[in-house]
Structure formats: structure tokens, C-alpha cells
Amino acid sequence: METKISNIWVVWIDETNKVISTKEIPTGKKTQFINKQLGIDTINKLLSKGFKIG
């Protein structure tokens, strides 16, 4: 049996409270990235704009 590993990386971004999370947050918007590196690059940009990881 072959196991397929998904390369999609999902985070939740709450733009009002400036919070980023890898777990679902009610006030956040689910955001998917085609790979982890693209997600990390985007999160780094948000962190430089004052977002917090929570």
C-alpha cells in the first residue's frame, strides 16, 4: 500500500488581532500554502509587520 504525503501546509491568520497559528482559531482565516517554505516566508513577512505566533 502506497502512502501519499501532502505537501500542503495550513495556518490560520487573524488579521484583526495579528495572530498566526498552526491550530484552528475561530477568528482566523484558514490559509494554505503549496509547501512549508512558502508558508514560512509568508509568516516571516507577517512577523515583521507586528503579527505574533499564538
PDB file of all heavy atoms in Angstrom, residues 14-48:
ATOM      1  N   ASP A  14      -5.240  35.555  11.814  1.00  0.00           N
ATOM      2  CA  ASP A  14      -6.229  36.501  12.338  1.00  0.00           C
ATOM      3  C   ASP A  14      -5.659  37.896  12.116  1.00  0.00           C
ATOM      4  O   ASP A  14      -4.759  38.333  12.831  1.00  0.00           O
ATOM      5  CB  ASP A  14      -6.459  36.228  13.823  1.00  0.00           C
ATOM      6  CG  ASP A  14      -7.442  37.198  14.462  1.00  0.00           C
ATOM      7  OD1 ASP A  14      -7.752  38.246  13.853  1.00  0.00           O
ATOM      8  OD2 ASP A  14      -7.881  36.917  15.582  1.00  0.00           O
ATOM      9  N   GLU A  15      -6.173  38.576  11.102  1.00  0.00           N
ATOM     10  CA  GLU A  15      -5.640  39.892  10.746  1.00  0.00           C
ATOM     11  C   GLU A  15      -6.060  40.975  11.740  1.00  0.00           C
ATOM     12  O   GLU A  15      -5.343  41.952  11.919  1.00  0.00           O
ATOM     13  CB  GLU A  15      -6.070  40.258   9.325  1.00  0.00           C
ATOM     14  CG  GLU A  15      -5.417  39.354   8.293  1.00  0.00           C
ATOM     15  CD  GLU A  15      -5.716  39.771   6.869  1.00  0.00           C
ATOM     16  OE1 GLU A  15      -6.138  40.921   6.648  1.00  0.00           O
ATOM     17  OE2 GLU A  15      -5.534  38.930   5.982  1.00  0.00           O
ATOM     18  N   THR A  16      -7.196  40.804  12.409  1.00  0.00           N
ATOM     19  CA  THR A  16      -7.667  41.795  13.375  1.00  0.00           C
ATOM     20  C   THR A  16      -6.776  41.823  14.611  1.00  0.00           C
ATOM     21  O   THR A  16      -6.358  42.879  15.070  1.00  0.00           O
ATOM     22  CB  THR A  16      -9.127  41.503  13.786  1.00  0.00           C
ATOM     23  OG1 THR A  16      -9.936  41.491  12.620  1.00  0.00           O
ATOM     24  CG2 THR A  16      -9.640  42.563  14.744  1.00  0.00           C
ATOM     25  N   ASN A  17      -6.496  40.633  15.146  1.00  0.00           N
ATOM     26  CA  ASN A  17      -5.688  40.529  16.365  1.00  0.00           C
ATOM     27  C   ASN A  17      -4.205  40.283  16.077  1.00  0.00           C
ATOM     28  O   ASN A  17      -3.420  40.141  17.007  1.00  0.00           O
ATOM     29  CB  ASN A  17      -6.233  39.415  17.257  1.00  0.00           C
ATOM     30  CG  ASN A  17      -7.643  39.700  17.711  1.00  0.00           C
ATOM     31  OD1 ASN A  17      -7.924  40.774  18.221  1.00  0.00           O
ATOM     32  ND2 ASN A  17      -8.534  38.760  17.508  1.00  0.00           N
ATOM     33  N   LYS A  18      -3.861  40.205  14.794  1.00  0.00           N
ATOM     34  CA  LYS A  18      -2.487  39.975  14.340  1.00  0.00           C
ATOM     35  C   LYS A  18      -1.872  38.724  14.977  1.00  0.00           C
ATOM     36  O   LYS A  18      -0.832  38.783  15.624  1.00  0.00           O
ATOM     37  CB  LYS A  18      -1.614  41.210  14.587  1.00  0.00           C
ATOM     38  CG  LYS A  18      -2.000  42.391  13.723  1.00  0.00           C
ATOM     39  CD  LYS A  18      -0.964  43.477  13.792  1.00  0.00           C
ATOM     40  CE  LYS A  18      -1.272  44.543  12.755  1.00  0.00           C
ATOM     41  NZ  LYS A  18      -0.212  45.529  12.655  1.00  0.00           N
ATOM     42  N   VAL A  19      -2.575  37.593  14.777  1.00  0.00           N
ATOM     43  CA  VAL A  19      -2.129  36.315  15.322  1.00  0.00           C
ATOM     44  C   VAL A  19      -2.042  35.295  14.193  1.00  0.00           C
ATOM     45  O   VAL A  19      -2.906  35.241  13.321  1.00  0.00           O
ATOM     46  CB  VAL A  19      -3.109  35.813  16.409  1.00  0.00           C
ATOM     47  CG1 VAL A  19      -2.701  34.449  16.910  1.00  0.00           C
ATOM     48  CG2 VAL A  19      -3.183  36.794  17.559  1.00  0.00           C
ATOM     49  N   ILE A  20      -0.992  34.464  14.251  1.00  0.00           N
ATOM     50  CA  ILE A  20      -0.789  33.373  13.306  1.00  0.00           C
ATOM     51  C   ILE A  20      -0.747  32.083  14.113  1.00  0.00           C
ATOM     52  O   ILE A  20      -0.083  32.021  15.146  1.00  0.00           O
ATOM     53  CB  ILE A  20       0.549  33.532  12.557  1.00  0.00           C
ATOM     54  CG1 ILE A  20       0.631  34.887  11.876  1.00  0.00           C
ATOM     55  CG2 ILE A  20       0.743  32.397  11.557  1.00  0.00           C
ATOM     56  CD1 ILE A  20       2.038  35.285  11.481  1.00  0.00           C
ATOM     57  N   SER A  21      -1.439  31.031  13.646  1.00  0.00           N
ATOM     58  CA  SER A  21      -1.461  29.771  14.376  1.00  0.00           C
ATOM     59  C   SER A  21      -1.498  28.588  13.415  1.00  0.00           C
ATOM     60  O   SER A  21      -2.077  28.680  12.338  1.00  0.00           O
ATOM     61  CB  SER A  21      -2.692  29.717  15.279  1.00  0.00           C
ATOM     62  OG  SER A  21      -2.751  28.486  15.965  1.00  0.00           O
ATOM     63  N   THR A  22      -0.881  27.485  13.825  1.00  0.00           N
ATOM     64  CA  THR A  22      -0.981  26.250  13.045  1.00  0.00           C
ATOM     65  C   THR A  22      -2.199  25.446  13.478  1.00  0.00           C
ATOM     66  O   THR A  22      -2.541  24.453  12.854  1.00  0.00           O
ATOM     67  CB  THR A  22       0.278  25.371  13.195  1.00  0.00           C
ATOM     68  OG1 THR A  22       0.484  25.098  14.575  1.00  0.00           O
ATOM     69  CG2 THR A  22       1.493  26.049  12.599  1.00  0.00           C
ATOM     70  N   LYS A  23      -2.864  25.902  14.545  1.00  0.00           N
ATOM     71  CA  LYS A  23      -4.114  25.291  15.005  1.00  0.00           C
ATOM     72  C   LYS A  23      -5.255  26.230  14.655  1.00  0.00           C
ATOM     73  O   LYS A  23      -5.090  27.450  14.626  1.00  0.00           O
ATOM     74  CB  LYS A  23      -4.073  25.062  16.513  1.00  0.00           C
ATOM     75  CG  LYS A  23      -3.021  24.067  16.927  1.00  0.00           C
ATOM     76  CD  LYS A  23      -3.043  23.850  18.417  1.00  0.00           C
ATOM     77  CE  LYS A  23      -1.960  22.868  18.810  1.00  0.00           C
ATOM     78  NZ  LYS A  23      -1.931  22.630  20.253  1.00  0.00           N
ATOM     79  N   GLU A  24      -6.418  25.651  14.424  1.00  0.00           N
ATOM     80  CA  GLU A  24      -7.574  26.459  14.052  1.00  0.00           C
ATOM     81  C   GLU A  24      -7.924  27.452  15.158  1.00  0.00           C
ATOM     82  O   GLU A  24      -7.981  27.097  16.331  1.00  0.00           O
ATOM     83  CB  GLU A  24      -8.772  25.559  13.771  1.00  0.00           C
ATOM     84  CG  GLU A  24      -9.974  26.320  13.275  1.00  0.00           C
ATOM     85  CD  GLU A  24     -11.111  25.427  12.857  1.00  0.00           C
ATOM     86  OE1 GLU A  24     -10.968  24.195  12.907  1.00  0.00           O
ATOM     87  OE2 GLU A  24     -12.152  25.971  12.478  1.00  0.00           O
ATOM     88  N   ILE A  25      -8.133  28.703  14.753  1.00  0.00           N
ATOM     89  CA  ILE A  25      -8.597  29.726  15.685  1.00  0.00           C
ATOM     90  C   ILE A  25      -9.883  30.324  15.102  1.00  0.00           C
ATOM     91  O   ILE A  25      -9.969  30.552  13.895  1.00  0.00           O
ATOM     92  CB  ILE A  25      -7.533  30.818  15.961  1.00  0.00           C
ATOM     93  CG1 ILE A  25      -6.928  31.378  14.672  1.00  0.00           C
ATOM     94  CG2 ILE A  25      -6.436  30.297  16.848  1.00  0.00           C
ATOM     95  CD1 ILE A  25      -5.935  32.504  14.876  1.00  0.00           C
ATOM     96  N   PRO A  26     -10.898  30.538  15.944  1.00  0.00           N
ATOM     97  CA  PRO A  26     -12.209  30.968  15.451  1.00  0.00           C
ATOM     98  C   PRO A  26     -12.180  32.289  14.683  1.00  0.00           C
ATOM     99  O   PRO A  26     -12.962  32.484  13.763  1.00  0.00           O
ATOM    100  CB  PRO A  26     -13.064  31.106  16.711  1.00  0.00           C
ATOM    101  CG  PRO A  26     -12.282  30.550  17.832  1.00  0.00           C
ATOM    102  CD  PRO A  26     -10.875  30.366  17.386  1.00  0.00           C
ATOM    103  N   THR A  27     -11.289  33.181  15.063  1.00  0.00           N
ATOM    104  CA  THR A  27     -11.247  34.497  14.410  1.00  0.00           C
ATOM    105  C   THR A  27     -10.257  34.535  13.245  1.00  0.00           C
ATOM    106  O   THR A  27     -10.070  35.579  12.634  1.00  0.00           O
ATOM    107  CB  THR A  27     -10.854  35.574  15.438  1.00  0.00           C
ATOM    108  OG1 THR A  27      -9.620  35.190  16.051  1.00  0.00           O
ATOM    109  CG2 THR A  27     -11.925  35.745  16.496  1.00  0.00           C
ATOM    110  N   GLY A  28      -9.633  33.397  12.952  1.00  0.00           N
ATOM    111  CA  GLY A  28      -8.621  33.351  11.906  1.00  0.00           C
ATOM    112  C   GLY A  28      -9.157  32.850  10.581  1.00  0.00           C
ATOM    113  O   GLY A  28     -10.192  32.196  10.500  1.00  0.00           O
ATOM    114  N   LYS A  29      -8.429  33.166   9.538  1.00  0.00           N
ATOM    115  CA  LYS A  29      -8.757  32.703   8.192  1.00  0.00           C
ATOM    116  C   LYS A  29      -7.805  31.561   7.841  1.00  0.00           C
ATOM    117  O   LYS A  29      -6.579  31.707   7.949  1.00  0.00           O
ATOM    118  CB  LYS A  29      -8.575  33.851   7.191  1.00  0.00           C
ATOM    119  CG  LYS A  29      -8.816  33.474   5.763  1.00  0.00           C
ATOM    120  CD  LYS A  29      -8.569  34.662   4.847  1.00  0.00           C
ATOM    121  CE  LYS A  29      -8.588  34.218   3.402  1.00  0.00           C
ATOM    122  NZ  LYS A  29      -8.141  35.296   2.518  1.00  0.00           N
ATOM    123  N   LYS A  30      -8.361  30.436   7.444  1.00  0.00           N
ATOM    124  CA  LYS A  30      -7.542  29.286   7.050  1.00  0.00           C
ATOM    125  C   LYS A  30      -6.789  29.649   5.775  1.00  0.00           C
ATOM    126  O   LYS A  30      -7.376  30.090   4.793  1.00  0.00           O
ATOM    127  CB  LYS A  30      -8.421  28.064   6.818  1.00  0.00           C
ATOM    128  CG  LYS A  30      -7.654  26.824   6.453  1.00  0.00           C
ATOM    129  CD  LYS A  30      -8.604  25.659   6.285  1.00  0.00           C
ATOM    130  CE  LYS A  30      -7.871  24.403   5.917  1.00  0.00           C
ATOM    131  NZ  LYS A  30      -8.818  23.279   5.727  1.00  0.00           N
ATOM    132  N   THR A  31      -5.479  29.481   5.824  1.00  0.00           N
ATOM    133  CA  THR A  31      -4.632  29.811   4.686  1.00  0.00           C
ATOM    134  C   THR A  31      -3.762  28.610   4.356  1.00  0.00           C
ATOM    135  O   THR A  31      -3.148  28.033   5.246  1.00  0.00           O
ATOM    136  CB  THR A  31      -3.735  31.019   5.019  1.00  0.00           C
ATOM    137  OG1 THR A  31      -4.565  32.096   5.464  1.00  0.00           O
ATOM    138  CG2 THR A  31      -2.949  31.469   3.819  1.00  0.00           C
ATOM    139  N   GLN A  32      -3.738  28.216   3.091  1.00  0.00           N
ATOM    140  CA  GLN A  32      -2.966  27.054   2.664  1.00  0.00           C
ATOM    141  C   GLN A  32      -1.817  27.482   1.773  1.00  0.00           C
ATOM    142  O   GLN A  32      -1.975  28.370   0.932  1.00  0.00           O
ATOM    143  CB  GLN A  32      -3.860  26.074   1.907  1.00  0.00           C
ATOM    144  CG  GLN A  32      -4.988  25.534   2.739  1.00  0.00           C
ATOM    145  CD  GLN A  32      -5.851  24.548   1.956  1.00  0.00           C
ATOM    146  OE1 GLN A  32      -5.696  24.357   0.767  1.00  0.00           O
ATOM    147  NE2 GLN A  32      -6.790  23.925   2.648  1.00  0.00           N
ATOM    148  N   PHE A  33      -0.680  26.848   1.980  1.00  0.00           N
ATOM    149  CA  PHE A  33       0.500  27.102   1.159  1.00  0.00           C
ATOM    150  C   PHE A  33       0.876  25.815   0.448  1.00  0.00           C
ATOM    151  O   PHE A  33       0.723  24.728   1.004  1.00  0.00           O
ATOM    152  CB  PHE A  33       1.667  27.575   2.043  1.00  0.00           C
ATOM    153  CG  PHE A  33       1.369  28.856   2.774  1.00  0.00           C
ATOM    154  CD1 PHE A  33       0.940  28.848   4.088  1.00  0.00           C
ATOM    155  CD2 PHE A  33       1.496  30.078   2.128  1.00  0.00           C
ATOM    156  CE1 PHE A  33       0.655  30.026   4.754  1.00  0.00           C
ATOM    157  CE2 PHE A  33       1.215  31.265   2.790  1.00  0.00           C
ATOM    158  CZ  PHE A  33       0.794  31.239   4.104  1.00  0.00           C
ATOM    159  N   ILE A  34       1.418  25.933  -0.753  1.00  0.00           N
ATOM    160  CA  ILE A  34       1.750  24.741  -1.523  1.00  0.00           C
ATOM    161  C   ILE A  34       2.929  23.975  -0.943  1.00  0.00           C
ATOM    162  O   ILE A  34       3.114  22.805  -1.229  1.00  0.00           O
ATOM    163  CB  ILE A  34       2.006  25.053  -3.012  1.00  0.00           C
ATOM    164  CG1 ILE A  34       3.122  26.086  -3.164  1.00  0.00           C
ATOM    165  CG2 ILE A  34       0.734  25.514  -3.674  1.00  0.00           C
ATOM    166  CD1 ILE A  34       3.558  26.314  -4.601  1.00  0.00           C
ATOM    167  N   ASN A  35       3.715  24.651  -0.110  1.00  0.00           N
ATOM    168  CA  ASN A  35       4.798  23.953   0.594  1.00  0.00           C
ATOM    169  C   ASN A  35       5.174  24.748   1.845  1.00  0.00           C
ATOM    170  O   ASN A  35       4.808  25.903   2.000  1.00  0.00           O
ATOM    171  CB  ASN A  35       6.015  23.716  -0.309  1.00  0.00           C
ATOM    172  CG  ASN A  35       6.643  24.995  -0.798  1.00  0.00           C
ATOM    173  OD1 ASN A  35       7.002  25.873  -0.015  1.00  0.00           O
ATOM    174  ND2 ASN A  35       6.776  25.122  -2.110  1.00  0.00           N
ATOM    175  N   LYS A  36       5.874  24.084   2.738  1.00  0.00           N
ATOM    176  CA  LYS A  36       6.210  24.686   4.022  1.00  0.00           C
ATOM    177  C   LYS A  36       7.102  25.911   3.876  1.00  0.00           C
ATOM    178  O   LYS A  36       6.932  26.906   4.578  1.00  0.00           O
ATOM    179  CB  LYS A  36       6.876  23.640   4.916  1.00  0.00           C
ATOM    180  CG  LYS A  36       7.028  24.078   6.337  1.00  0.00           C
ATOM    181  CD  LYS A  36       7.530  22.940   7.204  1.00  0.00           C
ATOM    182  CE  LYS A  36       7.607  23.351   8.651  1.00  0.00           C
ATOM    183  NZ  LYS A  36       7.993  22.239   9.518  1.00  0.00           N
ATOM    184  N   GLN A  37       8.053  25.887   2.949  1.00  0.00           N
ATOM    185  CA  GLN A  37       8.976  27.010   2.787  1.00  0.00           C
ATOM    186  C   GLN A  37       8.237  28.280   2.383  1.00  0.00           C
ATOM    187  O   GLN A  37       8.515  29.357   2.906  1.00  0.00           O
ATOM    188  CB  GLN A  37      10.071  26.683   1.773  1.00  0.00           C
ATOM    189  CG  GLN A  37      11.155  27.751   1.703  1.00  0.00           C
ATOM    190  CD  GLN A  37      11.852  27.959   3.042  1.00  0.00           C
ATOM    191  OE1 GLN A  37      12.305  27.008   3.660  1.00  0.00           O
ATOM    192  NE2 GLN A  37      11.931  29.194   3.501  1.00  0.00           N
ATOM    193  N   LEU A  38       7.286  28.169   1.486  1.00  0.00           N
ATOM    194  CA  LEU A  38       6.495  29.334   1.087  1.00  0.00           C
ATOM    195  C   LEU A  38       5.709  29.866   2.284  1.00  0.00           C
ATOM    196  O   LEU A  38       5.621  31.075   2.502  1.00  0.00           O
ATOM    197  CB  LEU A  38       5.547  28.977  -0.057  1.00  0.00           C
ATOM    198  CG  LEU A  38       4.661  30.096  -0.577  1.00  0.00           C
ATOM    199  CD1 LEU A  38       5.482  31.258  -1.096  1.00  0.00           C
ATOM    200  CD2 LEU A  38       3.745  29.565  -1.662  1.00  0.00           C
ATOM    201  N   GLY A  39       5.165  28.962   3.100  1.00  0.00           N
ATOM    202  CA  GLY A  39       4.445  29.359   4.302  1.00  0.00           C
ATOM    203  C   GLY A  39       5.342  30.083   5.286  1.00  0.00           C
ATOM    204  O   GLY A  39       4.964  31.110   5.849  1.00  0.00           O
ATOM    205  N   ILE A  40       6.525  29.549   5.498  1.00  0.00           N
ATOM    206  CA  ILE A  40       7.471  30.172   6.431  1.00  0.00           C
ATOM    207  C   ILE A  40       7.879  31.557   5.937  1.00  0.00           C
ATOM    208  O   ILE A  40       7.953  32.504   6.726  1.00  0.00           O
ATOM    209  CB  ILE A  40       8.696  29.263   6.645  1.00  0.00           C
ATOM    210  CG1 ILE A  40       8.275  28.037   7.465  1.00  0.00           C
ATOM    211  CG2 ILE A  40       9.829  30.015   7.341  1.00  0.00           C
ATOM    212  CD1 ILE A  40       9.327  26.965   7.571  1.00  0.00           C
ATOM    213  N   ASP A  41       8.123  31.687   4.652  1.00  0.00           N
ATOM    214  CA  ASP A  41       8.482  33.002   4.096  1.00  0.00           C
ATOM    215  C   ASP A  41       7.359  34.020   4.318  1.00  0.00           C
ATOM    216  O   ASP A  41       7.614  35.163   4.708  1.00  0.00           O
ATOM    217  CB  ASP A  41       8.786  32.886   2.599  1.00  0.00           C
ATOM    218  CG  ASP A  41      10.059  32.120   2.303  1.00  0.00           C
ATOM    219  OD1 ASP A  41      10.866  31.916   3.241  1.00  0.00           O
ATOM    220  OD2 ASP A  41      10.241  31.699   1.143  1.00  0.00           O
ATOM    221  N   THR A  42       6.128  33.596   4.109  1.00  0.00           N
ATOM    222  CA  THR A  42       4.980  34.481   4.307  1.00  0.00           C
ATOM    223  C   THR A  42       4.827  34.851   5.777  1.00  0.00           C
ATOM    224  O   THR A  42       4.594  36.014   6.114  1.00  0.00           O
ATOM    225  CB  THR A  42       3.692  33.806   3.789  1.00  0.00           C
ATOM    226  OG1 THR A  42       3.861  33.494   2.397  1.00  0.00           O
ATOM    227  CG2 THR A  42       2.485  34.711   3.968  1.00  0.00           C
ATOM    228  N   ILE A  43       4.980  33.866   6.664  1.00  0.00           N
ATOM    229  CA  ILE A  43       4.878  34.133   8.100  1.00  0.00           C
ATOM    230  C   ILE A  43       5.968  35.099   8.557  1.00  0.00           C
ATOM    231  O   ILE A  43       5.717  36.003   9.348  1.00  0.00           O
ATOM    232  CB  ILE A  43       4.909  32.814   8.895  1.00  0.00           C
ATOM    233  CG1 ILE A  43       3.581  32.091   8.680  1.00  0.00           C
ATOM    234  CG2 ILE A  43       5.163  33.056  10.375  1.00  0.00           C
ATOM    235  CD1 ILE A  43       3.523  30.694   9.231  1.00  0.00           C
ATOM    236  N   ASN A  44       7.167  34.940   8.042  1.00  0.00           N
ATOM    237  CA  ASN A  44       8.247  35.871   8.390  1.00  0.00           C
ATOM    238  C   ASN A  44       7.893  37.305   8.000  1.00  0.00           C
ATOM    239  O   ASN A  44       8.181  38.249   8.738  1.00  0.00           O
ATOM    240  CB  ASN A  44       9.560  35.448   7.750  1.00  0.00           C
ATOM    241  CG  ASN A  44      10.221  34.306   8.478  1.00  0.00           C
ATOM    242  OD1 ASN A  44      10.031  34.125   9.678  1.00  0.00           O
ATOM    243  ND2 ASN A  44      10.998  33.523   7.763  1.00  0.00           N
ATOM    244  N   LYS A  45       7.261  37.479   6.849  1.00  0.00           N
ATOM    245  CA  LYS A  45       6.838  38.818   6.420  1.00  0.00           C
ATOM    246  C   LYS A  45       5.784  39.376   7.373  1.00  0.00           C
ATOM    247  O   LYS A  45       5.816  40.554   7.723  1.00  0.00           O
ATOM    248  CB  LYS A  45       6.287  38.776   4.996  1.00  0.00           C
ATOM    249  CG  LYS A  45       7.350  38.559   3.947  1.00  0.00           C
ATOM    250  CD  LYS A  45       6.756  38.465   2.570  1.00  0.00           C
ATOM    251  CE  LYS A  45       7.826  38.087   1.556  1.00  0.00           C
ATOM    252  NZ  LYS A  45       7.250  37.869   0.227  1.00  0.00           N
ATOM    253  N   LEU A  46       4.844  38.514   7.802  1.00  0.00           N
ATOM    254  CA  LEU A  46       3.813  38.962   8.730  1.00  0.00           C
ATOM    255  C   LEU A  46       4.411  39.303  10.095  1.00  0.00           C
ATOM    256  O   LEU A  46       4.008  40.281  10.731  1.00  0.00           O
ATOM    257  CB  LEU A  46       2.723  37.891   8.870  1.00  0.00           C
ATOM    258  CG  LEU A  46       1.847  37.675   7.638  1.00  0.00           C
ATOM    259  CD1 LEU A  46       0.944  36.466   7.839  1.00  0.00           C
ATOM    260  CD2 LEU A  46       1.039  38.910   7.308  1.00  0.00           C
ATOM    261  N   LEU A  47       5.374  38.509  10.549  1.00  0.00           N
ATOM    262  CA  LEU A  47       6.035  38.790  11.824  1.00  0.00           C
ATOM    263  C   LEU A  47       6.726  40.149  11.790  1.00  0.00           C
ATOM    264  O   LEU A  47       6.710  40.888  12.774  1.00  0.00           O
ATOM    265  CB  LEU A  47       7.032  37.684  12.174  1.00  0.00           C
ATOM    266  CG  LEU A  47       6.420  36.327  12.547  1.00  0.00           C
ATOM    267  CD1 LEU A  47       7.510  35.274  12.675  1.00  0.00           C
ATOM    268  CD2 LEU A  47       5.600  36.432  13.816  1.00  0.00           C
ATOM    269  N   SER A  48       7.324  40.491  10.661  1.00  0.00           N
ATOM    270  CA  SER A  48       7.992  41.790  10.542  1.00  0.00           C
ATOM    271  C   SER A  48       6.993  42.947  10.542  1.00  0.00           C
ATOM    272  O   SER A  48       7.365  44.093  10.764  1.00  0.00           O
ATOM    273  CB  SER A  48       8.859  41.826   9.284  1.00  0.00           C
ATOM    274  OG  SER A  48       8.054  41.904   8.121  1.00  0.00           O
TER     275      SER A  48
END
